[in-house]
Amino acid sequence: MTNLRQGSVRRLLAGPDLTVVAWQSLIVTSAVEILSGFLGARIPLPVALLLSVSLLATARVAAAARPPAAGPPLPPARIEPATPDRPFRDVTRMADRLAWGRLGMDRFETAVRPVLLRLADDRLTGRHGITRASHPERARQLLGEDLWHLATGPSMASKAAGPPPDQVARLVEQLERI
């Protein structure tokens, strides 16, 4: 009953609603009596009346406790293509991802690590014409141990805090040198 709106119970027990409940109870009681007589199982009138009143009151309390209807669904998020008037949009997105990465290693794994690895792969392919899979020894040389471990090591997802900004900055500097 914690979801009941203020005064709902009072409204159920007084005024025109009580009259409506009384009439509905009489109609339901009459229907129960007619049905029980037709089936040959006689239900005493007071029991049928109490049953109908309790059923109708329960239905009204349940209707009053129902949560409000949900609003219309939100429109799907739009991803806008890069426009010339917003040249630093990707930088802002990366800064947001780095901020999320500091919250925990699981956030770092899902938001930051994939971006760093994609950048490393782009550098290896674009500047050196290799991939981590095609030339692993050369890729390891170019990436350095920290980036290589990030690329090939196990997932670091945990509840621990993400890597500090200076460690991420070192990884980015290594990427820039490739």
Side-chain angles (χ1 to χ4, degrees):
M1 281 223 200
T2 57
N3 291 340
L4 286 178
R5 285 178 248 130
Q6 198 61 278
S8 296
V9 175
R10 270 186 259 131
R11 278 186 276 137
L12 289 174
L13 301 175
D17 282 345
L18 185 60
T19 307
V20 171
V21 170
W23 279 107
Q24 288 174 344
S25 298
L26 287 174
I27 291 170
V28 171
T29 303
S30 300
V32 167
E33 284 295 313
I34 291 171
L35 185 64
S36 69
F38 181 73
L39 295 175
R42 187 79 177 130
I43 297 177
L45 184 62
V47 172
L49 182 61
L50 285 174
L51 178 66
S52 63
V53 168
S54 65
L55 287 175
L56 291 168
T58 301
R60 286 190 168 244
V61 168
R66 187 176 314 132
L74 296 175
R78 292 186 328 182
I79 298 176
E80 299 175 16
T83 56
D85 59 333
R86 294 179 62 197
F88 299 109
R89 185 181 73 135
D90 291 336
V91 173
T92 304
R93 182 180 296 146
M94 185 61 180
D96 291 342
R97 286 180 180 218
L98 287 170
W100 272 97
R102 292 221 42 232
L103 295 178
M105 287 305 283
D106 57 335
R107 302 271 182 167
F108 179 82
E109 283 290 316
T110 59
V112 179
R113 184 179 184 186
V115 173
L116 292 175
L117 294 178
R118 190 170 59 244
L119 290 172
D121 290 339
D122 288 346
R123 290 284 204 170
L124 289 172
T125 304
R127 293 193 176 180
H128 301 282
I130 65 170
T131 64
R132 287 183 285 144
S134 68
H135 296 84
E137 300 85 20
R138 179 75 176 129
R140 184 175 192 159
Q141 242 179 0
L142 291 168
L143 290 175
E145 286 304 312
D146 290 339
L147 280 172
W148 182 254
H149 180 70
L150 181 75
T152 60
S155 171
M156 298 181 286
S158 70
K159 295 295 180 191
D166 61 327
Q167 184 180 357
V168 176
R170 276 196 315 271
L171 292 172
V172 172
E173 287 171 7
Q174 283 178 315
L175 281 172
E176 290 174 347
R177 285 193 296 262
I178 297 175

